[in-house]
């Protein structure tokens, strides 16, 4: 997993709970926490951090991942700021993630393994995203989707239909009333 994901999680934890909590989380997870944005780290380290956070807070893993995703989105977008029209539409942004942002990730690191995301506009107020990943992190993706609505000041609601093996998830994203 790319280091930028770890950096975004660190910023989310620090923003929500403070730097001491991040340090405690690293200790509890048994990881060193020296993550560079372009580095690649084992997926197991993120899962160790999530597991430690679940134990420390009592918040279940999917809810924790949703919160982390929502708060990590600005950090991730900051890495590709020039590719994002912040005055644009949240649905346009979500539809562009795979073909624009993940392509850039692959240019920087051909061995990167970003998730596959397909977007289908169902109507002016509904977007369907199909997320495929071997990592099984649909709750994190859901948090990132909601965080996108926050960033564009265009709130969204998300209905999730998780695939049987967590490698494929369908999100129905609607503009919030």
């Amino acid at each position: 997993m790319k280091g930028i994901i770890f950096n975004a999680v660190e910023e989310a934890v620090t923003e929500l709970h403070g730097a001491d909590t991040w340090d405690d989380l690293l200790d509890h997870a048994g990881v060193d926490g020296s993550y560079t944005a372009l580095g690649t780290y084992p997926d197991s380290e993120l899962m160790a951090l999530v597991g430690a956070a679940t134990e420390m807070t009592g918040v279940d893993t999917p809810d924790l991942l949703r919160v982390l995703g929502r708060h990590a989105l600005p950090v991730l977008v900051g890495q590709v700021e020039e590719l994002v029209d912040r005055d644009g539409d949240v649905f346009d942004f979500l539809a562009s993630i795979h073909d624009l942002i993940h392509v850039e990730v692959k240019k920087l690191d051909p061995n990167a393994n970003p998730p596959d995301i397909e977007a289908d506009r169902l109507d002016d107020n509904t977007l369907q995203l199909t997320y495929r990943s071997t990592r099984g992190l649909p709750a994190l993706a859901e948090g990132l989707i909601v965080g996108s609505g926050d960033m564009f000041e265009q709130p969204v609601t998300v209905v999730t239909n998780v695939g049987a093996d967590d490698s494929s998830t369908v999100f129905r994203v609607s503009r919030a009333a």
Side-chain angles (χ1 to χ4, degrees), residues 25-155:
L25 186 59
L26 293 172
D27 290 342
H28 194 81
V31 297
D32 76 12
S34 299
Y35 303 110
T36 61
L38 295 178
T40 301
Y41 304 93
D43 293 355
S44 60
E45 287 197 28
L46 179 65
M47 298 318 295
L49 288 165
V50 169
T54 296
E55 289 176 16
M56 290 170 64
T57 64
V59 175
D60 72 348
T61 299
D63 287 342
L64 187 94
L65 286 168
R66 284 183 199 95
V67 169
L68 286 175
R70 187 173 190 172
H71 289 275
L73 188 274
V75 176
L76 296 174
V77 168
Q79 294 298 308
V80 292
E81 190 72 44
E82 68 281 359
L83 301 175
V84 178
D85 176 9
R86 293 233 187 191
D87 295 323
D89 180 73
V90 66
F91 283 5
D92 291 340
F93 170 73
L94 289 169
S96 74
I97 289 172
H98 187 69
D99 293 332
L100 188 64
I101 295 172
H102 288 167
V103 167
E104 291 300 314
V105 169
K106 294 288 281 182
K107 284 181 187 174
L108 291 171
D109 180 0
N111 296 319
N113 186 24
D116 180 49
I117 301 172
E118 286 178 34
D120 296 303
R121 280 211 191 214
L122 303 180
D123 58 44
D124 288 343
N125 294 310
T126 312
L127 178 71
Q128 184 167 291
L129 296 173
T130 302
Y131 163 91
R132 291 181 189 88
S133 174
T134 57
R135 293 187 171 101
L137 295 171
L140 182 67
E142 183 179 345
L144 292 166
I145 293 166
V146 173
S148 297
D150 295 345
M151 180 181 74
F152 283 92
E153 297 180 359
Q154 299 170 22

